[in-house]
Amino acid sequence: MATASSGSARKAKRRAARPRVSVLRIGHRPGRDPRLTTHLALAARALGAERMYLHPPDPSVEESLRRVASKWGGRFEVVPAANWRAVVREHAGGVVHLTMYGLELARLVPRLRRASSLLFVVGGAKVPSDLYRIADYNVAVGDQPHSEVAALAVALERVRGLPVRGGRAGAQLQIVPSARGKKVRVRPGSPP
Ligand code: SAM
């Protein structure tokens, strides 16, 4: 007979088996896109990615995410990528290019969930055509143009599920869920 503890053990096993995810953002325009690219990195971090490679590099985005991590914890980092093709070539795992021209996400989800490591690649206004060939999968989230943040968020939720709540290692702040207003726990020893 299945017990509550065997159920939670199964859940923990499933969580541990989720693919590890990195994101590669190409086509960033320093000076024009910092807000959008910062939102992309925030979504990647919040939904369980370990890092976001950024091409071309932009120290302002790296710094914003360092500030977020120092308050909210975890190990997420923005990694400058002067050569994005090298990031794709050297990734040990599946390369998933998110594009509205790709195959339907739902069809690929079972296969992507079984991967141990994935690199999700998102573009900007224009995507270099060789990316379609060098990616292992070209994947569409719906069949309409929208945004790299929306596409990444939906894909991460479908492939990894929502991260477990409860704050991250090294966090100064932790949200206490609240029906109204804002409740935030400040960890002892955090700077004022
Ligand atoms: N024509 C582009 C394309 O190939 O999807 C749309 C450019 S859109 C401004 C910037 C990025 O958002 C794309 O490179 C892609 O990563 C992502 N994106 C937009 N719509 C998408 C969709 N329906 N499915 C998957 N990714 C999408």
Side-chain angles (χ1 to χ4, degrees):
M1 193 212 308
T3 62
S5 67
S6 68
S8 51
R10 260 201 312 279
K11 269 191 203 151
K13 206 169 153 194
R14 264 205 307 276
R15 269 203 300 275
R18 289 170 183 174
R20 302 173 64 162
V21 167
S22 298
V23 174
L24 166 62
R25 195 292 199 256
I26 61 177
H28 168 70
R29 296 166 300 182
R32 267 185 87 173
D33 289 339
R35 190 173 152 81
L36 177 61
T37 299
T38 299
H39 284 186
L40 184 69
L42 289 172
R45 174 185 175 277
L47 295 168
E50 295 177 358
R51 64 187 63 76
M52 185 181 87
Y53 298 99
L54 178 56
H55 175 84
D58 184 339
S60 74
V61 178
E62 292 163 35
E63 181 49 33
S64 299
L65 267 289
R66 264 196 295 274
R67 278 201 302 272
V68 170
S70 78
K71 266 191 182 173
W72 296 98
R75 290 165 169 268
F76 184 88
E77 54 177 351
V78 174
V79 181
N83 180 348
W84 69 263
R85 289 179 181 83
V87 174
V88 171
R89 217 173 27 245
E90 287 160 20
H91 178 71
V95 175
V96 183
H97 170 212
L98 294 174
T99 166
M100 65 183 187
Y101 302 107
L103 298 176
E104 204 185 331
L105 175 64
R107 268 182 60 183
L108 290 165
V109 159
R111 198 179 312 170
L112 298 179
R113 280 188 187 154
R114 288 196 298 272
S116 58
S117 166
L118 293 172
L119 177 69
F120 282 91
V121 187
V122 298
K126 215 165 174 335
V127 172
S129 59
D130 57 332
L131 177 56
Y132 290 83
R133 186 174 39 78
I134 60 183
D136 296 304
Y137 308 98
N138 291 292
V139 176
V141 178
D143 65 353
Q144 299 297 310
H146 44 83
S147 128
E148 43 274 55
V149 183
L152 181 68
V154 171
L156 285 178
E157 195 281 329
R158 294 302 314 283
V159 171
R160 298 194 82 255
L162 288 178
V164 180
R165 294 188 59 110
R168 298 186 179 195
Q172 296 170 17
L173 303 177
Q174 187 180 339
I175 289 173
V176 181
S178 167
R180 285 190 185 77
K182 303 176 188 174
K183 266 192 209 155
V184 177
R185 185 176 299 137
V186 179
R187 295 243 170 104
S190 301

